[in-house]
Amino acid sequence: MTLDSYVGLGRSGLKVSPFCLGAMNFGEDGGFGCGVEDSEKILQTYLDHGGNFLDTANFYTNGHSEAILGDFLAARPGLRDRLVLATKFYGNLHLGDPNGGGAGRKAILGQLHESLRRLRTDHVDLYWLHNHDRTTPVEETLRTLDDLVTAGKIRHVGFSDTPAWFTAKAHTMALLRGWTPVTALQMEYSLLERTIEGELIPLAQDAGMGVLPWSPLKSGFLSGKYRRDTAVPADTRRSAVLGGPTEAQFTVIDALIAVAEEVGASPAAVALAWVQARPGVTSTLIGPRTPAHLEANLAGLSVRLTPAQTAVLDEVSTPTLNFPHDLNQQVGAMLKYAGATVDGVPSAVYPPLLQSAARY
């Protein structure tokens, strides 16, 4: 697989690269990102490899991320129209202004105006709601986004980091009212964070939404820098904020390193390959801070895990999901088929239930 092995984004007509270049680290506002020169080297390298999918947000590095992308594209006439450009709204860049952020009509229109100005374009191809706004009616958000699609300022709508119940409600409402539906979901997903498998991924698969995992390396925990019984790397953002992995996380990391040694690839490449191959996933977000990081991430496109290797990683990272997931898995077919063989698979019998039913 290569970056120009394009895939469809959900049920939309958009065709995107299997790895999306996230620009969260473009710009030095905040202390963790990279400067303009490295940002442009990363962009050019991604494009040279055939990539076409760029993702940012209005508040990444206080707007500098969008400005770097905008300047880069403006200096290369014709390039913008050949790319899928995505940004997000919700973040408030205006201290003390209660209408400067969130998902209300005034906030959305203001945020998009400023994003388009920084990006130096007249539209974005995918516009993400970046969080769940508990104080704004979802009807207001959806109608505003639909108006922007009609006006040609955005092409598709995505939701990022929103609860499953809210996402399902919004998508269903949009369909029933003839508004623009939710095309894609952007959620944290990795070997160390799999809980979206409980509700969000099944929702996306059922509704035809593309899934874009962010932090597929869990902020560096799965990069190969962290090893059991070694010092926590001092130059990582994660270690500066939260310290090193937990004992349970190291169990997963140990298995990842073992599989990587079998494959002959880096742990980061294997972790990315695992995520990209998961059911429902369309394109995986990578957020390199250096050109070297980008090249290391792109190696994940060429990794092929055997079923046995995938099973090892699946088992060691199996998440605990919310009720009623386990009950549905354990008892669902048992109660439905009551010992019958369906599609060649025999279901179990639940004797107490059958004994009780026999009385009636």
Side-chain angles (χ1 to χ4, degrees):
M1 184 185 297
T2 57
L3 283 179
D4 57 2
S5 301
Y6 304 115
V7 293
L9 183 63
R11 289 180 180 165
S12 77
L14 283 179
K15 305 300 184 289
V16 299
S17 294
F19 281 2
C20 173
L21 181 60
M24 184 178 71
N25 291 315
F26 288 5
E28 296 174 300
D29 302 63
F32 293 115
C34 55
V36 173
E37 183 178 357
D38 275 348
S39 298
E40 292 192 342
K41 286 180 181 178
I42 292 168
L43 277 164
Q44 191 60 58
T45 301
Y46 177 79
L47 297 174
D48 289 344
H49 280 274
N52 79 332
F53 196 7
L54 307 178
D55 181 84
T56 185
N58 68 330
F59 84 101
Y60 287 168
T61 58
N62 293 319
H64 195 194
S65 172
E66 287 184 329
I68 289 174
L69 285 173
D71 291 346
F72 180 88
L73 297 176
R76 294 157 178 80
L79 178 59
R80 162 67 187 94
D81 291 335
R82 298 197 299 274
L83 301 177
V84 176
L85 181 60
T87 192
K88 308 178 189 73
F89 67 95
Y90 189 88
N92 193 335
L93 299 182
H94 304 284
L95 186 65
D97 180 3
N99 296 304
R105 176 175 286 266
K106 178 177 175 62
I108 293 174
L109 296 178
Q111 290 171 87
L112 180 62
H113 175 78
E114 293 300 313
S115 285
L116 294 179
R117 177 183 62 80
R118 288 187 290 266
L119 290 166
R120 301 177 67 175
T121 185
D122 62 358
H123 74 281
V124 291
D125 300 295
L126 181 60
Y127 201 36
W128 301 97
L129 168 63
H130 209 168
N131 213 301
H132 175 210
D133 187 342
R134 299 173 181 270
T135 64
T136 299
V138 68
E139 298 91 334
E140 181 177 340
T141 302
L142 293 172
R143 179 56 193 271
T144 303
L145 293 172
D146 187 65
D147 287 346
L148 291 171
V149 171
T150 301
K153 293 187 175 183
I154 68 175
R155 301 292 192 255
H156 297 276
V157 171
F159 276 22
S160 178
D161 306 333
T162 53
W165 68 267
F166 173 79
T167 306
K169 174 183 177 182
H171 183 67
T172 302
M173 181 180 294
L175 292 175
L176 291 174
R177 298 195 179 187
W179 296 339
T180 304
V182 180
T183 293
L185 303 182
Q186 189 175 141
M187 304 286 170
E188 183 177 3
Y189 192 29
S190 72
L191 280 164
L192 293 178
E193 178 48 76
R194 292 180 55 185
T195 54
I196 66 169
E197 293 176 10
E199 296 189 359
L200 284 160
I201 285 185
L203 165 62
Q205 291 178 298
D206 182 68
M209 303 171 187
V211 175
L212 277 74
W214 61 262
S215 196
L217 301 181
K218 193 63 174 178
S219 298
F221 280 12
L222 300 170
S223 67
K225 291 183 178 181
Y226 292 83
R227 305 279 176 136
R228 190 185 294 274
D229 300 325
T230 61
V232 174
D235 62 340
T236 64
R237 175 168 53 183
R238 187 80 179 192
S239 63
V241 178
L242 296 178
T246 65
E247 184 65 25
Q249 289 172 326
F250 266 125
T251 299
V252 178
I253 293 169
D254 289 345
L256 173 65
I257 292 172
V259 170
E261 290 174 351
E262 289 181 13
V263 174
S266 70
V270 172
L272 288 166
W274 179 88
V275 168
Q276 184 58 28
R278 298 299 294 168
V281 170
T282 297
S283 179
T284 298
L285 278 153
I286 55 175
R289 286 188 291 119
T290 68
H293 288 164
L294 174 61
E295 294 287 0
N297 288 344
L298 294 181
L301 292 169
S302 60
V303 171
R304 292 293 178 271
L305 301 176
T306 66
Q309 290 166 339
T310 299
V312 168
L313 296 176
D314 289 352
E315 182 176 357
V316 75
S317 65
T318 300
T320 299
L321 301 176
N322 291 339
F323 179 88
H325 178 271
D326 289 350
L327 179 67
N328 293 160
Q329 295 296 313
Q330 295 166 4
V331 186
M334 183 188 305
L335 294 178
K336 181 176 180 179
Y337 298 123
T341 298
V342 180
D343 294 331
V345 180
S347 68
V349 179
Y350 190 41
L353 178 66
L354 298 181
Q355 293 169 7
S356 176
R359 302 193 187 104
Y360 297 96

mmCIF file of all heavy atoms in Angstrom, residues 190-194 216 218 221-222 226 228 245-260 267 270-271 274 312-319:
data_model
loop_
_atom_site.group_PDB
_atom_site.id
_atom_site.type_symbol
_atom_site.label_atom_id
_atom_site.label_comp_id
_atom_site.label_asym_id
_atom_site.label_seq_id
_atom_site.Cartn_x
_atom_site.Cartn_y
_atom_site.Cartn_z
ATOM 1 N N SER A 190 -6.114 3.289 19.093
ATOM 2 C CA SER A 190 -4.788 2.678 19.017
ATOM 3 C C SER A 190 -4.824 1.363 19.791
ATOM 4 O O SER A 190 -5.845 0.998 20.394
ATOM 5 C CB SER A 190 -3.726 3.602 19.631
ATOM 6 O OG SER A 190 -3.851 3.648 21.046
ATOM 7 N N LEU A 191 -3.705 0.676 19.796
ATOM 8 C CA LEU A 191 -3.593 -0.543 20.594
ATOM 9 C C LEU A 191 -3.794 -0.262 22.082
ATOM 10 O O LEU A 191 -4.138 -1.170 22.848
ATOM 11 C CB LEU A 191 -2.222 -1.188 20.384
ATOM 12 C CG LEU A 191 -2.054 -2.022 19.112
ATOM 13 C CD1 LEU A 191 -0.577 -2.259 18.827
ATOM 14 C CD2 LEU A 191 -2.803 -3.344 19.235
ATOM 15 N N LEU A 192 -3.579 0.981 22.499
ATOM 16 C CA LEU A 192 -3.746 1.342 23.905
ATOM 17 C C LEU A 192 -5.039 2.111 24.165
ATOM 18 O O LEU A 192 -5.284 2.523 25.298
ATOM 19 C CB LEU A 192 -2.546 2.187 24.378
ATOM 20 C CG LEU A 192 -1.205 1.456 24.429
ATOM 21 C CD1 LEU A 192 -0.100 2.411 24.855
ATOM 22 C CD2 LEU A 192 -1.270 0.256 25.381
ATOM 23 N N GLU A 193 -5.866 2.301 23.151
ATOM 24 C CA GLU A 193 -7.158 2.965 23.331
ATOM 25 C C GLU A 193 -8.140 2.417 22.303
ATOM 26 O O GLU A 193 -8.229 2.899 21.177
ATOM 27 C CB GLU A 193 -7.019 4.491 23.177
ATOM 28 C CG GLU A 193 -8.320 5.251 23.312
ATOM 29 C CD GLU A 193 -9.131 4.819 24.530
ATOM 30 O OE1 GLU A 193 -8.764 5.220 25.643
ATOM 31 O OE2 GLU A 193 -10.114 4.054 24.343
ATOM 32 N N ARG A 194 -8.896 1.377 22.734
ATOM 33 C CA ARG A 194 -9.777 0.671 21.804
ATOM 34 C C ARG A 194 -11.249 0.755 22.194
ATOM 35 O O ARG A 194 -12.078 0.056 21.603
ATOM 36 C CB ARG A 194 -9.354 -0.811 21.727
ATOM 37 C CG ARG A 194 -8.014 -1.032 21.066
ATOM 38 C CD ARG A 194 -7.649 -2.521 21.028
ATOM 39 N NE ARG A 194 -8.682 -3.332 20.400
ATOM 40 C CZ ARG A 194 -8.646 -4.665 20.339
ATOM 41 N NH1 ARG A 194 -7.621 -5.331 20.891
ATOM 42 N NH2 ARG A 194 -9.619 -5.335 19.749
ATOM 43 N N PRO A 216 -2.713 7.311 16.832
ATOM 44 C CA PRO A 216 -2.557 5.859 16.674
ATOM 45 C C PRO A 216 -1.331 5.306 17.386
ATOM 46 O O PRO A 216 -1.239 4.097 17.605
ATOM 47 C CB PRO A 216 -2.445 5.690 15.152
ATOM 48 C CG PRO A 216 -1.886 6.995 14.682
ATOM 49 C CD PRO A 216 -2.525 8.033 15.565
ATOM 50 N N LYS A 218 -0.550 6.555 20.416
ATOM 51 C CA LYS A 218 -0.805 6.938 21.812
ATOM 52 C C LYS A 218 0.238 7.937 22.312
ATOM 53 O O LYS A 218 0.937 7.717 23.313
ATOM 54 C CB LYS A 218 -0.845 5.698 22.713
ATOM 55 C CG LYS A 218 -1.410 5.945 24.104
ATOM 56 C CD LYS A 218 -2.854 6.389 24.090
ATOM 57 C CE LYS A 218 -3.417 6.487 25.502
ATOM 58 N NZ LYS A 218 -4.821 6.970 25.502
ATOM 59 N N PHE A 221 3.718 6.469 22.978
ATOM 60 C CA PHE A 221 3.887 5.255 23.772
ATOM 61 C C PHE A 221 4.166 4.033 22.891
ATOM 62 O O PHE A 221 4.847 3.097 23.318
ATOM 63 C CB PHE A 221 2.641 4.991 24.621
ATOM 64 C CG PHE A 221 2.565 5.814 25.888
ATOM 65 C CD1 PHE A 221 3.415 6.875 26.103
ATOM 66 C CD2 PHE A 221 1.630 5.507 26.869
ATOM 67 C CE1 PHE A 221 3.349 7.627 27.259
ATOM 68 C CE2 PHE A 221 1.551 6.258 28.040
ATOM 69 C CZ PHE A 221 2.417 7.324 28.233
ATOM 70 N N LEU A 222 3.629 4.021 21.677
ATOM 71 C CA LEU A 222 3.777 2.876 20.785
ATOM 72 C C LEU A 222 4.833 3.111 19.711
ATOM 73 O O LEU A 222 4.911 2.358 18.743
ATOM 74 C CB LEU A 222 2.428 2.562 20.122
ATOM 75 C CG LEU A 222 1.292 2.211 21.086
ATOM 76 C CD1 LEU A 222 -0.048 2.165 20.352
ATOM 77 C CD2 LEU A 222 1.554 0.870 21.766
ATOM 78 N N TYR A 226 9.600 3.834 24.186
ATOM 79 C CA TYR A 226 9.328 3.396 25.559
ATOM 80 C C TYR A 226 9.564 1.890 25.675
ATOM 81 O O TYR A 226 8.941 1.091 24.967
ATOM 82 C CB TYR A 226 7.884 3.727 25.945
ATOM 83 C CG TYR A 226 7.617 5.208 26.067
ATOM 84 C CD1 TYR A 226 7.334 5.978 24.941
ATOM 85 C CD2 TYR A 226 7.649 5.849 27.301
ATOM 86 C CE1 TYR A 226 7.089 7.341 25.040
ATOM 87 C CE2 TYR A 226 7.407 7.213 27.420
ATOM 88 C CZ TYR A 226 7.128 7.947 26.283
ATOM 89 O OH TYR A 226 6.891 9.295 26.383
ATOM 90 N N ARG A 228 10.283 -1.318 28.640
ATOM 91 C CA ARG A 228 10.218 -1.708 30.046
ATOM 92 C C ARG A 228 11.624 -1.671 30.669
ATOM 93 O O ARG A 228 12.611 -2.056 30.043
ATOM 94 C CB ARG A 228 9.625 -3.110 30.167
ATOM 95 C CG ARG A 228 9.298 -3.524 31.582
ATOM 96 C CD ARG A 228 8.845 -4.970 31.609
ATOM 97 N NE ARG A 228 7.582 -5.167 30.910
ATOM 98 C CZ ARG A 228 6.390 -5.002 31.474
ATOM 99 N NH1 ARG A 228 6.307 -4.624 32.746
ATOM 100 N NH2 ARG A 228 5.286 -5.223 30.788
ATOM 101 N N PRO A 245 4.387 4.942 30.494
ATOM 102 C CA PRO A 245 3.270 3.998 30.432
ATOM 103 C C PRO A 245 3.053 3.278 31.764
ATOM 104 O O PRO A 245 3.966 3.132 32.574
ATOM 105 C CB PRO A 245 3.704 3.008 29.347
ATOM 106 C CG PRO A 245 4.743 3.735 28.551
ATOM 107 C CD PRO A 245 5.443 4.612 29.529
ATOM 108 N N THR A 246 1.841 2.796 31.966
ATOM 109 C CA THR A 246 1.513 1.985 33.127
ATOM 110 C C THR A 246 1.977 0.549 32.902
ATOM 111 O O THR A 246 2.381 0.168 31.796
ATOM 112 C CB THR A 246 0.005 1.983 33.376
ATOM 113 O OG1 THR A 246 -0.649 1.340 32.260
ATOM 114 C CG2 THR A 246 -0.533 3.403 33.534
ATOM 115 N N GLU A 247 1.896 -0.263 33.935
ATOM 116 C CA GLU A 247 2.275 -1.665 33.805
ATOM 117 C C GLU A 247 1.414 -2.372 32.763
ATOM 118 O O GLU A 247 1.908 -3.161 31.955
ATOM 119 C CB GLU A 247 2.144 -2.367 35.161
ATOM 120 C CG GLU A 247 2.614 -3.811 35.159
ATOM 121 C CD GLU A 247 4.102 -3.949 34.888
ATOM 122 O OE1 GLU A 247 4.860 -2.994 35.156
ATOM 123 O OE2 GLU A 247 4.505 -5.025 34.393
ATOM 124 N N ALA A 248 0.113 -2.088 32.779
ATOM 125 C CA ALA A 248 -0.792 -2.707 31.800
ATOM 126 C C ALA A 248 -0.436 -2.269 30.381
ATOM 127 O O ALA A 248 -0.485 -3.077 29.437
ATOM 128 C CB ALA A 248 -2.237 -2.348 32.125
ATOM 129 N N GLN A 249 -0.077 -1.010 30.216
ATOM 130 C CA GLN A 249 0.299 -0.538 28.889
ATOM 131 C C GLN A 249 1.604 -1.165 28.425
ATOM 132 O O GLN A 249 1.770 -1.471 27.240
ATOM 133 C CB GLN A 249 0.393 0.988 28.887
ATOM 134 C CG GLN A 249 -0.962 1.687 29.000
ATOM 135 C CD GLN A 249 -0.847 3.178 29.183
ATOM 136 O OE1 GLN A 249 0.091 3.673 29.821
ATOM 137 N NE2 GLN A 249 -1.800 3.929 28.636
ATOM 138 N N PHE A 250 2.522 -1.381 29.352
ATOM 139 C CA PHE A 250 3.783 -2.023 28.972
ATOM 140 C C PHE A 250 3.558 -3.463 28.503
ATOM 141 O O PHE A 250 4.314 -3.974 27.670
ATOM 142 C CB PHE A 250 4.784 -2.002 30.129
ATOM 143 C CG PHE A 250 5.725 -0.835 30.077
ATOM 144 C CD1 PHE A 250 5.841 0.030 31.156
ATOM 145 C CD2 PHE A 250 6.510 -0.604 28.946
ATOM 146 C CE1 PHE A 250 6.715 1.111 31.111
ATOM 147 C CE2 PHE A 250 7.389 0.472 28.900
ATOM 148 C CZ PHE A 250 7.494 1.335 29.981
ATOM 149 N N THR A 251 2.541 -4.112 29.005
ATOM 150 C CA THR A 251 2.229 -5.461 28.525
ATOM 151 C C THR A 251 1.914 -5.437 27.033
ATOM 152 O O THR A 251 2.354 -6.302 26.264
ATOM 153 C CB THR A 251 1.045 -6.048 29.308
ATOM 154 O OG1 THR A 251 1.385 -6.127 30.696
ATOM 155 C CG2 THR A 251 0.686 -7.436 28.801
ATOM 156 N N VAL A 252 1.157 -4.436 26.615
ATOM 157 C CA VAL A 252 0.835 -4.268 25.199
ATOM 158 C C VAL A 252 2.086 -3.872 24.417
ATOM 159 O O VAL A 252 2.352 -4.392 23.328
ATOM 160 C CB VAL A 252 -0.278 -3.227 25.009
ATOM 161 C CG1 VAL A 252 -0.574 -3.007 23.524
ATOM 162 C CG2 VAL A 252 -1.542 -3.648 25.745
ATOM 163 N N ILE A 253 2.857 -2.953 24.974
ATOM 164 C CA ILE A 253 4.074 -2.488 24.300
ATOM 165 C C ILE A 253 5.051 -3.639 24.098
ATOM 166 O O ILE A 253 5.677 -3.766 23.033
ATOM 167 C CB ILE A 253 4.719 -1.338 25.098
ATOM 168 C CG1 ILE A 253 3.822 -0.096 25.061
ATOM 169 C CG2 ILE A 253 6.106 -1.006 24.548
ATOM 170 C CD1 ILE A 253 4.240 1.003 26.022
ATOM 171 N N ASP A 254 5.194 -4.504 25.092
ATOM 172 C CA ASP A 254 6.081 -5.667 24.972
ATOM 173 C C ASP A 254 5.660 -6.555 23.800
ATOM 174 O O ASP A 254 6.498 -7.019 23.019
ATOM 175 C CB ASP A 254 6.062 -6.485 26.255
ATOM 176 C CG ASP A 254 6.754 -5.794 27.420
ATOM 177 O OD1 ASP A 254 7.492 -4.819 27.172
ATOM 178 O OD2 ASP A 254 6.528 -6.201 28.577
ATOM 179 N N ALA A 255 4.356 -6.807 23.697
ATOM 180 C CA ALA A 255 3.855 -7.644 22.598
ATOM 181 C C ALA A 255 4.082 -6.967 21.251
ATOM 182 O O ALA A 255 4.440 -7.626 20.264
ATOM 183 C CB ALA A 255 2.368 -7.939 22.807
ATOM 184 N N LEU A 256 3.885 -5.656 21.210
ATOM 185 C CA LEU A 256 4.110 -4.906 19.969
ATOM 186 C C LEU A 256 5.566 -5.004 19.527
ATOM 187 O O LEU A 256 5.862 -5.243 18.344
ATOM 188 C CB LEU A 256 3.718 -3.444 20.168
ATOM 189 C CG LEU A 256 4.040 -2.487 19.026
ATOM 190 C CD1 LEU A 256 3.236 -2.832 17.783
ATOM 191 C CD2 LEU A 256 3.787 -1.044 19.452
ATOM 192 N N ILE A 257 6.484 -4.843 20.465
ATOM 193 C CA ILE A 257 7.911 -4.913 20.138
ATOM 194 C C ILE A 257 8.279 -6.305 19.629
ATOM 195 O O ILE A 257 9.044 -6.455 18.659
ATOM 196 C CB ILE A 257 8.755 -4.534 21.368
ATOM 197 C CG1 ILE A 257 8.576 -3.038 21.690
ATOM 198 C CG2 ILE A 257 10.225 -4.862 21.142
ATOM 199 C CD1 ILE A 257 9.210 -2.605 23.006
ATOM 200 N N ALA A 258 7.703 -7.337 20.238
ATOM 201 C CA ALA A 258 7.992 -8.707 19.800
ATOM 202 C C ALA A 258 7.505 -8.942 18.373
ATOM 203 O O ALA A 258 8.209 -9.545 17.551
ATOM 204 C CB ALA A 258 7.348 -9.706 20.760
ATOM 205 N N VAL A 259 6.300 -8.473 18.068
ATOM 206 C CA VAL A 259 5.775 -8.624 16.709
ATOM 207 C C VAL A 259 6.614 -7.814 15.725
ATOM 208 O O VAL A 259 6.907 -8.266 14.613
ATOM 209 C CB VAL A 259 4.296 -8.198 16.646
ATOM 210 C CG1 VAL A 259 3.809 -8.122 15.198
ATOM 211 C CG2 VAL A 259 3.427 -9.173 17.434
ATOM 212 N N ALA A 260 7.010 -6.603 16.122
ATOM 213 C CA ALA A 260 7.828 -5.770 15.242
ATOM 214 C C ALA A 260 9.141 -6.456 14.898
ATOM 215 O O ALA A 260 9.615 -6.380 13.748
ATOM 216 C CB ALA A 260 8.084 -4.418 15.911
ATOM 217 N N PRO A 267 8.303 -0.666 15.859
ATOM 218 C CA PRO A 267 7.027 -0.753 16.579
ATOM 219 C C PRO A 267 6.006 0.266 16.071
ATOM 220 O O PRO A 267 4.814 -0.040 15.984
ATOM 221 C CB PRO A 267 7.435 -0.478 18.034
ATOM 222 C CG PRO A 267 8.850 -0.934 18.123
ATOM 223 C CD PRO A 267 9.452 -0.573 16.800
ATOM 224 N N VAL A 270 4.390 -1.001 12.874
ATOM 225 C CA VAL A 270 3.463 -2.103 13.156
ATOM 226 C C VAL A 270 2.181 -1.582 13.808
ATOM 227 O O VAL A 270 1.075 -2.004 13.462
ATOM 228 C CB VAL A 270 4.133 -3.162 14.048
ATOM 229 C CG1 VAL A 270 3.120 -4.210 14.507
ATOM 230 C CG2 VAL A 270 5.281 -3.818 13.296
ATOM 231 N N ALA A 271 2.319 -0.650 14.745
ATOM 232 C CA ALA A 271 1.141 -0.082 15.404
ATOM 233 C C ALA A 271 0.248 0.634 14.402
ATOM 234 O O ALA A 271 -0.994 0.532 14.467
ATOM 235 C CB ALA A 271 1.573 0.880 16.509
ATOM 236 N N TRP A 274 -1.513 -1.978 12.201
ATOM 237 C CA TRP A 274 -2.608 -2.617 12.936
ATOM 238 C C TRP A 274 -3.852 -1.730 12.923
ATOM 239 O O TRP A 274 -4.954 -2.199 12.640
ATOM 240 C CB TRP A 274 -2.183 -2.904 14.375
ATOM 241 C CG TRP A 274 -3.254 -3.540 15.204
ATOM 242 C CD1 TRP A 274 -3.522 -4.878 15.340
ATOM 243 C CD2 TRP A 274 -4.233 -2.860 16.007
ATOM 244 N NE1 TRP A 274 -4.608 -5.074 16.172
ATOM 245 C CE2 TRP A 274 -5.062 -3.857 16.593
ATOM 246 C CE3 TRP A 274 -4.491 -1.529 16.287
ATOM 247 C CZ2 TRP A 274 -6.128 -3.542 17.439
ATOM 248 C CZ3 TRP A 274 -5.549 -1.208 17.124
ATOM 249 C CH2 TRP A 274 -6.354 -2.209 17.692
ATOM 250 N N VAL A 312 -2.276 -11.907 18.159
ATOM 251 C CA VAL A 312 -1.486 -11.612 19.365
ATOM 252 C C VAL A 312 -1.752 -10.200 19.840
ATOM 253 O O VAL A 312 -2.002 -9.946 21.029
ATOM 254 C CB VAL A 312 0.014 -11.824 19.092
ATOM 255 C CG1 VAL A 312 0.853 -11.236 20.231
ATOM 256 C CG2 VAL A 312 0.331 -13.302 18.931
ATOM 257 N N LEU A 313 -1.707 -9.247 18.920
ATOM 258 C CA LEU A 313 -1.931 -7.847 19.277
ATOM 259 C C LEU A 313 -3.382 -7.613 19.711
ATOM 260 O O LEU A 313 -3.640 -6.851 20.647
ATOM 261 C CB LEU A 313 -1.568 -6.942 18.096
ATOM 262 C CG LEU A 313 -0.097 -6.957 17.685
ATOM 263 C CD1 LEU A 313 0.120 -6.108 16.444
ATOM 264 C CD2 LEU A 313 0.795 -6.466 18.825
ATOM 265 N N ASP A 314 -4.314 -8.252 19.034
ATOM 266 C CA ASP A 314 -5.727 -8.117 19.408
ATOM 267 C C ASP A 314 -5.970 -8.601 20.830
ATOM 268 O O ASP A 314 -6.643 -7.940 21.629
ATOM 269 C CB ASP A 314 -6.619 -8.930 18.452
ATOM 270 C CG ASP A 314 -6.712 -8.328 17.067
ATOM 271 O OD1 ASP A 314 -6.219 -7.198 16.873
ATOM 272 O OD2 ASP A 314 -7.281 -8.986 16.181
ATOM 273 N N GLU A 315 -5.402 -9.758 21.141
ATOM 274 C CA GLU A 315 -5.670 -10.357 22.448
ATOM 275 C C GLU A 315 -5.054 -9.556 23.585
ATOM 276 O O GLU A 315 -5.692 -9.307 24.606
ATOM 277 C CB GLU A 315 -5.134 -11.789 22.473
ATOM 278 C CG GLU A 315 -5.415 -12.510 23.786
ATOM 279 C CD GLU A 315 -4.959 -13.955 23.773
ATOM 280 O OE1 GLU A 315 -4.462 -14.432 22.720
ATOM 281 O OE2 GLU A 315 -5.088 -14.627 24.823
ATOM 282 N N VAL A 316 -3.805 -9.125 23.411
ATOM 283 C CA VAL A 316 -3.122 -8.437 24.512
ATOM 284 C C VAL A 316 -3.709 -7.054 24.760
ATOM 285 O O VAL A 316 -3.589 -6.511 25.864
ATOM 286 C CB VAL A 316 -1.606 -8.344 24.224
ATOM 287 C CG1 VAL A 316 -1.295 -7.282 23.182
ATOM 288 C CG2 VAL A 316 -0.824 -8.095 25.496
ATOM 289 N N SER A 317 -4.374 -6.486 23.760
ATOM 290 C CA SER A 317 -4.917 -5.133 23.899
ATOM 291 C C SER A 317 -6.434 -5.101 24.027
ATOM 292 O O SER A 317 -7.041 -4.025 23.961
ATOM 293 C CB SER A 317 -4.503 -4.288 22.686
ATOM 294 O OG SER A 317 -5.082 -4.795 21.492
ATOM 295 N N THR A 318 -7.054 -6.259 24.219
ATOM 296 C CA THR A 318 -8.512 -6.327 24.292
ATOM 297 C C THR A 318 -9.050 -5.365 25.352
ATOM 298 O O THR A 318 -8.643 -5.434 26.521
ATOM 299 C CB THR A 318 -8.977 -7.755 24.626
ATOM 300 O OG1 THR A 318 -8.517 -8.640 23.596
ATOM 301 C CG2 THR A 318 -10.493 -7.821 24.709
ATOM 302 N N PRO A 319 -9.958 -4.465 24.965
ATOM 303 C CA PRO A 319 -10.442 -3.464 25.921
ATOM 304 C C PRO A 319 -11.617 -3.970 26.749
ATOM 305 O O PRO A 319 -12.277 -4.943 26.386
ATOM 306 C CB PRO A 319 -10.907 -2.323 25.009
ATOM 307 C CG PRO A 319 -11.423 -3.047 23.795
ATOM 308 C CD PRO A 319 -10.508 -4.238 23.609
#
